[in-house]
């Protein structure tokens, strides 16, 4: 049969490869494990992908390769090197990685499962040097990918425990999860210094880079694989970092060893991948925002960003030198813009996108807008003593950052109300309610005495309320509440009347300009002798809201062309 002929052809090719390749001749001869490993290292350096897969596809060759690598790692790991692990040990880890990659067909069938798991446990121990742990992580990820949806529970437990949160752990934290994988590390790989926050951040970055590569396009891109990996991160990693994130099937108390809040360094890394890749590439966006649970997780990460406590400058990742693998160094803030700018940019993109992807976001767009409004509402609590301390370490620019954030949020509120007829009354009422609450908090709390708050927040907030009153439907609730609040605000903040007077003057000017524009339009059309009684009505009969056009020329063009953007 053709299948048998193909099998014998492959065996002949493999035999020829073993005979002619000088490195494999050394490897399969009776030499020491060290010489075998060096020969295998040279073979991998010069061999083609086809030759590597051909060699690993043979069970006997794969078993001998893994046995040699395991023996060398245990032997070299027991030696005492003055400067820690040497280059040869790192090369052997690369060989281990290649054996798992090219021998995936045998790993999928359970070959060497227990032995490999034990060795990965030792490499990922928290007492192991950072570079060894990073290599061990890549091996574990490749091992799980080879098994794919049939991964043993012990490998999933190792995946959950491999992220070292000890540098961020609260004082007195104990338990298995804080000690890391259970197997003892190899003596030669023991670290000389305690693990740092930078080590953990780099470790997490490697994990997220691996996952992102599965979905952003290219030869290794596969939406199904990305969905599998995202579900693993969602179930095993995120709940340990964010106590407010819950996934289906999780116990009420969450996962063991979770932090009370996600550290700034790790949150910044996750946020970078969420806003730069996962919500920008359609393949990944269709998964990350494709159902209610995943979208809630995204919104929760963005919400936390707005209230993230910023560390001092000398505590951030940008002031530290990276350690270990520099190819996947953690993404850092490259500008002076605070971290919340990334969340606001994502909100803005979702608000402006009238045809969001995937279909789930299109169907639940109104609910998404309501959630965004609610998540941003608390940024106006600018108590400089108590509430501010929850947001950031006290610095000279801390209050200025929060005031700037309030201004940016008001800009997003403006974007939402500019949608007008595209949003439901519930969304409109939500903006109305949060604007009243923000105004009430700032005025009654005497924060209006701060000139920066008064100029950059209060004035814009009053403008927002005026716009809501003018454009809003009378059916929207909170009109009575606003009337009651205005009387209370006037007693504390009389400038409210002054700004209202200026607004009335502006509206009067707009009205007079609109009347003149209509008059000019009628004069022009009358000269053209158009019969408006028989033709399709245009101009004022289409109920065009000319106030939204800032210049007389634009109003005239709106009437002339019959455009209508915001009908009453």
């Amino acid at each position: 049969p053709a299948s048998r002929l193909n099998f014998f052809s492959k065996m002949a090719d493999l035999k020829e490869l073993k005979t002619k390749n000088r490195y494999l001749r050394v490897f399969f001869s009776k030499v020491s494990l060290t010489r075998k490993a060096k020969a295998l290292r040279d073979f991998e350096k010069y061999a083609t992908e086809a030759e590597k897969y051909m060699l690993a596809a043979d069970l006997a060759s794969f078993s001998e390769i893994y046995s040699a690598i395991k023996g060398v790692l245990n032997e070299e790991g027991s030696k005492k090197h003055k400067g820690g692990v040497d280059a040869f040990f790192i090369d052997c880890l690369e060989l281990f990685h290649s054996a798992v990659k090219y021998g995936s067909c045998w790993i999928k069938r359970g070959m060497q499962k227990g032995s490999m798991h034990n060795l990965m446990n030792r490499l990922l121990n928290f007492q192991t040097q950072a570079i060894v742990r990073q290599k061990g992580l890549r091996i574990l990820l490749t091992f799980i990918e080879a098994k794919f949806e049939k991964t043993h529970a012990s490998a999933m437990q190792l995946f959950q425990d491999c992220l070292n949160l000890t540098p961020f752990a609260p004082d007195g934290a104990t338990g298995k999860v804080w000690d890391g994988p259970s197997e003892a590390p190899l003596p030669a790989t023991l670290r000389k210094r305690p693990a740092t926050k930078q080590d953990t951040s780099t470790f997490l970055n490697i994990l997220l880079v691996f996952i992102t590569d599965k979905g952003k396009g290219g030869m290794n891109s596969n939406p199904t694989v990305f969905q599998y990996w995202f579900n693993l991160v969602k179930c095993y990693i995120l709940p340990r970092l964010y106590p407010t994130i819950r996934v289906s099937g999780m116990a009420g108390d969450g996962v063991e060893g979770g932090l009370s809040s996600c550290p700034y360094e790790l949150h910044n890394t996750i946020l970078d991948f969420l806003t730069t890749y996962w919500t920008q590439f359609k393949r990944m966006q269709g998964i990350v925002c494709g159902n209610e649970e995943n979208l809630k997780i995204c919104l929760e990460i963005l919400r936390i960003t707005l209230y993230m406590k910023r560390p001092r400058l000398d505590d951030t990742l940008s002031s530290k030198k990276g350690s270990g693998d520099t190819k996947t160094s953690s993404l850092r803030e490259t500008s002076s813009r605070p971290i919340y700018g990334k969340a606001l940019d994502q909100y803005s993109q979702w608000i402006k996108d009238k045809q969001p992807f995937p279909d789930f976001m299109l169907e639940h767009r109104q609910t998404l807008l309501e959630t965004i409004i609610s998540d941003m509402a608390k940024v106006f609590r600018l108590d400089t003593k108590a509430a501010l301390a929850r947001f950031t370490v006290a610095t000279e620019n801390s209050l200025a950052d929060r005031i700037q954030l309030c201004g940016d949020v008001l800009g997003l509120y403006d974007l939402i109300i500019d949608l007008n007829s595209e949003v439901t009354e519930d969304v409109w009422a939500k903006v109305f309610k949060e604007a009243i609450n923000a105004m009430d908090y700032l005025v009654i709390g005497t924060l209006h005495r701060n000139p920066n708050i008064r100029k950059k927040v209060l004035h814009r907030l009053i403008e927002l309320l005026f716009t809501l009153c003018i454009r809003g439907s009378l059916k929207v609730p909170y009109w009575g509440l606003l009337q009651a609040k205005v009387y209370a605000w006037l007693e504390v903040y009389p400038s409210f009347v002054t700004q209202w007077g200026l607004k009335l003057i502006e509206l009067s000017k707009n009205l007079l300009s609109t009347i003149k524009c209509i008059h000019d339009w009628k004069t022009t059309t009358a000269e053209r002798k158009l019969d408006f009684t028989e033709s399709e009505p245009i101009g004022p009969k289409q109920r065009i809201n000319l106030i939204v056009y800032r210049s007389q020329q634009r109003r005239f063009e709106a009437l002339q062309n019959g455009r209508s953007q915001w009908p009453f």
Side-chain angles (χ1 to χ4, degrees):
S3 58
R4 180 167 296 184
L5 291 175
N6 187 35
F7 170 77
F8 284 114
S9 174
K10 289 182 178 179
M11 293 299 295
D13 293 340
L14 177 61
K15 184 176 181 181
E16 182 180 4
L17 177 64
K18 290 181 178 180
T19 304
K20 294 187 176 181
N21 190 286
R22 58 175 181 172
Y23 304 118
L24 292 183
R25 288 202 304 267
V26 174
F27 176 81
F28 288 106
S29 61
K30 295 182 179 180
V31 294
S32 64
L33 290 177
T34 302
R35 286 198 61 189
K36 280 179 175 287
K38 291 182 177 179
L40 192 61
R41 177 192 61 186
D42 294 335
F43 168 77
E44 185 185 22
K45 183 177 180 180
Y46 298 106
T48 64
E49 290 289 306
E51 291 174 337
K52 294 175 186 177
Y53 276 111
M54 184 190 304
L55 181 64
D58 178 53
L59 178 57
S61 301
F62 171 75
S63 299
E64 188 168 351
I65 289 171
Y66 174 70
S67 298
I69 294 173
K70 176 186 175 183
V72 173
L73 287 174
N74 287 326
E75 182 180 306
E76 291 292 318
S78 301
K79 296 179 180 179
K80 293 184 178 181
H81 301 284
K82 294 182 179 180
V85 295
D86 56 6
F88 179 64
F89 186 85
I90 300 300
D91 289 341
C92 291
L93 291 179
E94 292 291 347
L95 290 176
F96 186 12
H97 186 201
S98 297
V100 175
K101 175 183 177 181
Y102 295 107
S104 58
C105 58
W106 303 115
I107 294 175
K108 191 177 298 184
R109 300 181 186 182
M111 302 293 181
Q112 305 291 347
K113 179 183 67 177
S115 176
M116 285 188 177
H117 184 267
N118 181 274
L119 186 53
M120 288 185 293
N121 244 299
R122 304 189 73 177
L123 296 176
L124 289 169
N125 190 282
F126 289 172
Q127 301 302 318
T128 304
Q129 295 180 27
I131 187 172
V132 177
R133 292 195 73 243
Q134 292 167 14
K135 299 293 184 183
L137 174 63
R138 288 193 171 90
I139 295 170
L140 173 64
L141 296 177
T142 306
F143 178 84
I144 295 176
E145 186 179 33
K147 299 290 288 184
F148 192 66
E149 294 185 350
K150 296 182 180 180
T151 309
H152 196 267
S154 57
M156 291 293 95
Q157 187 65 41
L158 181 58
F159 178 79
Q160 176 177 312
D161 296 343
C162 68
L163 186 63
N164 185 6
L165 297 179
T166 306
F168 305 97
D171 296 336
T174 58
K176 175 183 176 298
V177 72
W178 300 113
D179 298 330
S182 56
E183 296 295 332
L186 296 168
T189 64
L190 288 173
R191 60 170 66 249
K192 306 291 183 182
R193 56 179 178 82
T196 64
K197 296 179 179 180
Q198 173 64 45
D199 294 336
T200 304
S201 183
T202 303
F203 193 88
L204 177 63
N205 191 78
I206 294 173
L207 171 62
L208 297 182
V209 166
F210 176 87
I211 294 172
T212 303
D213 286 341
K214 304 301 176 184
K216 69 179 183 179
M219 295 180 62
N220 297 325
S221 175
N222 188 329
T224 304
V225 176
F226 175 78
Q227 181 176 8
Y228 171 75
W229 282 107
F230 180 77
N231 289 337
L232 292 186
V233 172
K234 178 180 71 175
C235 295
Y236 294 102
I237 301 297
L238 295 183
R240 290 189 61 197
L241 301 177
Y242 301 97
T244 54
I245 288 182
R246 291 287 182 268
V247 296
S248 56
M250 180 183 295
D253 296 333
V255 297
E256 181 185 5
L259 297 173
S260 59
S261 61
C262 185
Y264 179 88
E265 296 87 344
L266 303 184
H267 178 82
N268 192 26
T269 300
I270 294 172
L271 182 67
D272 276 325
F273 282 93
L274 176 64
T275 58
T276 306
Y277 300 106
W278 298 352
T279 57
Q280 303 303 318
F281 290 80
K282 282 196 172 182
R283 289 186 176 185
M284 292 184 280
Q285 187 180 7
I287 295 168
V288 174
C289 304
N291 58 59
E292 182 179 2
E293 184 177 77
N294 290 353
L295 184 57
K296 282 184 176 180
I297 291 176
C298 295
L299 289 170
E300 179 63 15
I301 293 174
L302 296 175
R303 184 195 68 81
I304 291 173
T305 305
L306 298 179
Y307 311 100
M308 174 62 63
K309 186 173 182 178
R310 294 183 66 190
R312 299 182 187 276
L313 182 61
D314 54 355
D315 291 336
T316 59
L317 291 179
S318 57
S319 62
K320 294 184 179 181
K321 294 183 179 179
S323 60
D325 195 335
T326 58
K327 293 182 180 179
T328 56
S329 59
S330 178
L331 298 173
R332 303 182 178 110
E333 294 183 72
T334 57
S335 65
S336 59
R337 191 184 187 194
I339 186 176
Y340 61 70
K342 303 170 188 176
L344 295 178
D345 289 343
Q346 187 60 57
Y347 285 149
S348 178
Q349 178 182 336
W350 281 340
I351 293 170
K352 293 178 181 178
D353 192 359
K354 298 180 181 180
Q355 295 292 328
F357 179 85
D359 293 339
F360 177 82
M361 292 189 67
L362 181 60
E363 296 170 2
H364 297 80
R365 186 165 185 247
Q366 305 299 326
T367 304
L368 174 65
L369 293 176
E370 289 187 50
T371 305
I372 291 175
I373 295 168
S374 299
D375 289 347
M376 297 189 298
K378 291 184 179 179
V379 301
F380 296 100
R381 299 185 175 272
L382 293 174
D383 189 342
T384 56
K385 294 182 179 179
L388 187 61
R390 299 197 304 269
F391 297 135
T392 177
V393 176
T395 62
E396 295 180 358
N397 297 325
S398 56
L399 180 58
D401 286 346
R402 303 312 300 180
I403 293 175
Q404 178 62 40
L405 173 58
C406 290
D408 292 338
V409 169
L410 288 173
L412 293 182
Y413 281 172
D414 288 335
L415 284 178
I416 293 175
I417 64 175
D418 281 346
L419 298 174
N420 205 341
S421 60
E422 298 177 16
V423 298
T424 62
E425 287 189 1
D426 291 337
V427 176
W428 198 270
K430 178 71 71 173
V431 181
F432 213 145
K433 175 186 175 182
E434 298 302 347
I436 293 175
N437 290 340
M439 185 72 185
D440 194 51
Y441 182 87
L442 295 174
V443 172
I444 302 302
T446 69
L447 292 175
H448 62 277
R449 297 175 182 175
N450 185 306
N452 288 329
I453 294 178
R454 185 168 59 250
K455 179 180 179 181
K456 298 181 179 179
V457 181
L458 269 179
H459 288 182
R460 291 189 60 185
L461 193 54
I462 294 173
E463 289 285 336
L464 175 65
L465 284 171
F466 289 156
T467 305
L468 287 168
C469 292
I470 295 170
R471 295 187 183 178
S473 170
L474 294 176
K475 297 180 181 180
V476 176
Y478 306 113
W479 277 94
L481 175 62
L482 177 61
Q483 183 179 6
K485 290 292 184 182
V486 167
Y487 289 112
W489 296 340
L490 289 176
E491 295 180 2
V492 183
Y493 186 59
S495 300
F496 185 89
V497 177
T498 305
Q499 191 168 348
W500 173 240
L502 294 175
K503 189 66 177 180
L504 287 178
I505 294 174
E506 181 185 350
L507 291 175
S508 300
K509 289 181 178 179
N510 285 339
L511 179 59
L512 294 173
S513 179
T514 301
I515 294 174
K516 185 178 183 301
C517 183
I518 295 175
H519 176 74
D520 294 342
W521 174 80
K522 287 183 176 181
T523 302
T524 303
T525 53
E527 292 175 354
R528 294 179 181 177
K529 299 180 180 180
L530 297 176
D531 186 6
F532 292 99
T533 58
E534 297 180 0
S535 61
E536 182 181 356
I538 60 175
K541 293 187 179 182
Q542 279 189 295
R543 305 173 71 182
I544 296 176
N545 184 5
L546 296 176
I547 296 178
V548 301
Y549 299 102
R550 297 186 178 182
S551 66
Q552 183 175 347
Q553 179 64 27
R554 290 189 61 189
R555 292 170 186 158
F556 184 83
E557 291 176 355
L559 290 168
Q560 189 69 28
N561 298 328
R563 295 199 300 261
S564 178
Q565 294 186 7
W566 292 284
F568 286 109

